[in-house]
Amino acid sequence: MVNIKYAKDSFTLGENRSVLDCLTEHGVPIPFSCRSGVCQTCLMRATGGSPPEAAQQGLKDTLKLQNYFLACVCHPTEDLEVALPDDAQAAIPATVKKLELLNEEIMRVMLECHAPIQYKAGQFINLFRNRSLGRSYSLASVPHEDDHLHIHVRRLPNGRVSGWIHEELRPDQTVEVRGPAGDCFYVPGNPEQGLILIGTGSGLAPLYGIIRDALRQGHNGAIRLFHGSRDQRGLYLVGELRELMKQYANFDYVPCLSGSDVPHGFAAGRAHEVALKEVPNLKDWRLFLCGHPEMVKQAKKKAFLAGAAMKDIYADAFNVSQSG
Amino acid sequence: MTEKSLAAWWEQQHQSLYQNLGGEAAVNAAVDIFYRKVLSDDRISHFFEDVDMDKQAAKQKAFLTMAFGGPQNYTGVDMRRGHAHLVQRGLNDTHFDAVMENLAGTLRELGVAEELINQVAAIAESTRNDVLSR
């Protein structure tokens, strides 16, 4: 007898029933559409037990690794604890170890979690100022390489969390974090595939993590980073990235400036436009796009039309909360 | 017919077409080519602005699976509900024709025999009235 656990309930899975059948028959509102394992509307995540391989067919590798599955074609033979993708995770306290300005508006925050947290470089956590006020920040740190969690917080005008982090947060203070979440990270395998990473502003945070994670895991194909800002003051970690270029022959860093003043050593134009000009045919490349939502949206479409496969495009749009 | 027996009937009728085309592997090979064509087609690309590309690609895959005679549970009601907001924005026969053209173009690019292309086109064509809310 197989049991499906959802929230506080446990249901017995009937013969020839899918996880979706089981939950909907018990009145759990799970969204669904095609009921054939294709449209991905009924995407769920196993929080206990492993979903059968057949229930993960067609999902992105990053989702498979996190035990996501399609409920409508999921026929488990062992007990499974399941949740909807956005069901809240437990909060973990974390101590601020270090605060460091990387440029005029971006602060690197290093956090030490009180309980171990399994994450991939490039995923994000939610950091809370208080119970009801939190924001998402991408992880620039690499597990097993960096001791703490690293996030890059850009100060937003009237930002209720970013302003607090820049003005009031101090080392040794304890905050609450939830997560990790997100599917924009490096998946091992295919180590000779070319990677193109495009970011604007603090969109460099996940990319800086992903690049070092890929290098650490022995990625030997080309890794090309295009980081964009309007002027030089918006760029950061320039020295570290140039150092990384010296260390790894397959890594290349192109700082892009979209403003009018473009000194020697910088590319003129928006980061995604510079990248597409340098690599016009993106067939067989893997792409990572992070930062300004409009840039991510445009770059995703252009990259796809330039030949990149949908499954090879990983994106994280930094949406700014409307409430400041 | 009940929903279950309708699905079973569908599978019996179309199993050979789906197998001849190459099953799920054929759908996977076609989906990016088809979606790229649709997005680059000025006649219809505006219907695809402002939608999440990953979700959209999954829907294109569901559509191709159906048109290839593969396993699916879509009903006419699903088709109507899924396209009603586009009909309000002016979706009509010319747009449906453009999609049909891109579908055939995709299959030709993959070297599929004309006879099979005609069968796929016939299945896709059968959704026209539901898609256009008629």
Side-chain angles (χ1 to χ4, degrees), chain A residues 46-83:
Chain A
T47 49
S50 304
E53 214 175 289
Q56 295 188 305
Q57 253 190 31
L59 293 183
K60 260 199 162 103
D61 287 343
T62 45
L63 293 175
K64 286 183 187 171
L65 282 174
Q66 297 176 82
N67 281 335
Y68 281 92
F69 65 93
L70 300 173
C72 70
V73 289
C74 185
H75 299 272
T77 49
E78 284 165 33
D79 288 4
L80 208 57
E81 196 178 314
V82 302

Side-chain angles (χ1 to χ4, degrees), chain A residues 117-153:
Chain A
I117 161 171
Q118 299 284 330
Y119 73 97
K120 309 253 193 281
Q123 286 193 295
F124 62 85
I125 52 161
N126 288 306
L127 189 150
F128 289 81
R129 177 178 175 177
N130 58 46
R131 272 281 140 78
S132 58
L133 186 58
R135 294 286 182 267
S136 302
Y137 296 106
S138 292
L139 292 161
S141 47
V142 179
H144 310 300
E145 182 158 322
D146 300 308
D147 289 335
H148 307 303
L149 298 183
H150 298 186
I151 56 174
H152 300 170
V153 180

Side-chain angles (χ1 to χ4, degrees), chain A residues 33-36 38-40 57-58 60 297 300-301 304-305 307-311 313, chain B residues 3 24 32 35-36 39-40 49-50 53-54 57-58 61-62 65 71-74 78:
Chain A
S33 177
C34 80
R35 280 165 285 161
S36 324
V38 178
C39 75
Q40 304 191 4
Q57 253 190 31
K60 260 199 162 103
K297 192 177 137 192
K300 199 172 184 180
K301 187 169 166 184
F304 178 62
L305 292 177
M310 273 306 281
K311 67 169 177 55
I313 305 176
Chain B
E3 232 169 68
E24 202 197 335
D32 273 11
Y35 188 22
R36 215 170 266 134
L39 271 184
S40 323
E49 298 283 328
D50 292 318
M53 284 182 68
D54 285 299
K61 196 175 162 186
T65 303
Q72 58 97 25
N73 287 307
Y74 276 114
D78 293 331

Side-chain angles (χ1 to χ4, degrees), chain B:
Chain B
M1 260 190 283
T2 67
E3 232 169 68
K4 275 283 172 216
S5 65
L6 185 68
W9 170 81
W10 170 275
E11 274 188 55
Q12 279 161 19
Q13 294 297 306
H14 297 94
Q15 209 172 22
S16 65
L17 172 63
Y18 191 55
Q19 273 164 10
N20 285 337
L21 285 166
E24 202 197 335
V27 176
N28 288 338
V31 67
D32 273 11
I33 300 174
F34 175 67
Y35 188 22
R36 215 170 266 134
K37 281 188 193 295
V38 165
L39 271 184
S40 323
D41 188 333
D42 292 338
R43 293 172 295 177
I44 47 177
S45 60
H46 57 284
F47 289 114
F48 299 94
E49 298 283 328
D50 292 318
V51 290
D52 180 292
M53 284 182 68
D54 285 299
K55 283 188 187 148
Q56 190 60 42
K59 282 186 187 154
Q60 307 278 7
K61 196 175 162 186
F63 167 68
L64 290 178
T65 303
M66 182 208 67
F68 284 19
Q72 58 97 25
N73 287 307
Y74 276 114
T75 63
V77 177
D78 293 331
M79 284 289 162
R80 284 171 187 268
R81 205 183 294 139
H83 294 91
H85 66 292
L86 298 177
V87 172
Q88 275 182 356
R89 281 171 55 194
L91 187 76
N92 63 36
D93 279 304
T94 62
H95 306 119
F96 193 92
D97 292 342
V99 171
M100 293 291 289
E101 225 176 87
N102 288 317
L103 177 61
T106 302
L107 294 167
R108 278 190 198 109
E109 210 171 304
L110 289 167
V112 174
E114 285 298 318
E115 186 203 318
L116 294 179
I117 296 180
N118 291 338
Q119 291 183 47
V120 171
I123 296 177
E125 183 61 48
S126 71
T127 66
R128 184 186 289 260
N129 285 340
D130 283 324
V131 167
L132 297 177
S133 294
R134 290 195 294 231

Side-chain angles (χ1 to χ4, degrees), chain A:
Chain A
M1 201 176 72
V2 175
N3 290 301
I4 303 301
K5 284 186 201 129
Y6 176 84
K8 288 187 177 91
D9 296 313
S10 181
F11 308 112
T12 303
L13 185 68
E15 209 181 326
N16 294 324
R17 308 308 282 159
S18 67
V19 170
L20 178 67
D21 294 331
C22 175
L23 293 172
T24 50
E25 281 160 11
H26 286 93
V28 181
I30 306 293
F32 65 87
S33 177
C34 80
R35 280 165 285 161
S36 324
V38 178
C39 75
Q40 304 191 4
T41 307
C42 65
L43 185 73
M44 295 190 79
R45 185 175 183 188
T47 49
S50 304
E53 214 175 289
Q56 295 188 305
Q57 253 190 31
L59 293 183
K60 260 199 162 103
D61 287 343
T62 45
L63 293 175
K64 286 183 187 171
L65 282 174
Q66 297 176 82
N67 281 335
Y68 281 92
F69 65 93
L70 300 173
C72 70
V73 289
C74 185
H75 299 272
T77 49
E78 284 165 33
D79 288 4
L80 208 57
E81 196 178 314
V82 302
L84 283 170
D86 46 5
D87 277 354
Q89 290 159 295
I92 304 169
T95 304
V96 178
K97 298 305 282 186
K98 196 174 172 187
L99 292 151
E100 181 184 4
L101 265 182
L102 297 173
N103 68 16
E104 282 170 27
E105 55 175 12
I106 293 174
M107 180 83 84
R108 170 154 61 192
V109 184
M110 297 187 183
L111 298 163
E112 185 177 51
C113 291
H114 294 194
I117 161 171
Q118 299 284 330
Y119 73 97
K120 309 253 193 281
Q123 286 193 295
F124 62 85
I125 52 161
N126 288 306
L127 189 150
F128 289 81
R129 177 178 175 177
N130 58 46
R131 272 281 140 78
S132 58
L133 186 58
R135 294 286 182 267
S136 302
Y137 296 106
S138 292
L139 292 161
S141 47
V142 179
H144 310 300
E145 182 158 322
D146 300 308
D147 289 335
H148 307 303
L149 298 183
H150 298 186
I151 56 174
H152 300 170
V153 180
R154 184 163 77 94
R155 191 185 175 141
L156 298 169
N158 306 314
R160 285 153 75 197
V161 178
S162 64
W164 164 74
I165 289 171
H166 276 252
E167 294 291 316
E168 295 173 43
L169 198 63
R170 295 285 177 267
D172 294 329
Q173 236 171 288
T174 297
V175 294
E176 270 197 348
V177 299
R178 277 175 204 265
D183 60 2
C184 186
F185 57 79
Y186 178 76
V187 176
N190 213 355
E192 66 293 332
Q193 187 179 22
L195 312 183
I196 290 181
L197 305 98
I198 303 169
T200 52
S202 58
L204 178 61
L207 301 182
Y208 189 57
I210 290 165
I211 290 164
R212 292 183 305 128
D213 192 22
L215 289 169
R216 208 182 87 86
Q217 302 204 45
H219 195 89
N220 51 31
I223 301 178
R224 308 200 62 187
L225 168 66
F226 298 85
H227 185 215
S229 179
R230 209 166 56 80
D231 53 44
Q232 267 193 79
R233 285 175 310 168
L235 298 174
Y236 64 97
L237 293 177
V238 178
E240 285 87 341
L241 288 164
R242 293 213 159 118
E243 196 51 46
L244 212 55
M245 254 172 89
K246 280 187 212 151
Q247 220 179 320
Y248 293 93
N250 61 329
F251 173 64
D252 173 40
Y253 164 54
V254 183
C256 309
L257 301 174
S258 59
S260 51
D261 183 24
V262 183
H264 181 72
F266 297 85
R270 291 171 195 275
H272 68 283
E273 287 164 3
V274 173
L276 270 150
K277 212 187 294 168
E278 292 217 7
V279 192
N281 183 354
L282 291 174
K283 189 174 183 296
D284 296 330
W285 286 81
R286 203 186 309 183
L287 282 105
F288 295 90
L289 314 168
C290 301
H292 198 282
E294 197 50 41
M295 182 286 284
V296 169
K297 192 177 137 192
Q298 276 185 35
K300 199 172 184 180
K301 187 169 166 184
K302 285 183 175 163
F304 178 62
L305 292 177
M310 273 306 281
K311 67 169 177 55
D312 281 333
I313 305 176
Y314 298 88
D316 191 358
F318 287 12
N319 293 300
V320 171
S321 170
Q322 296 309 309
S323 58

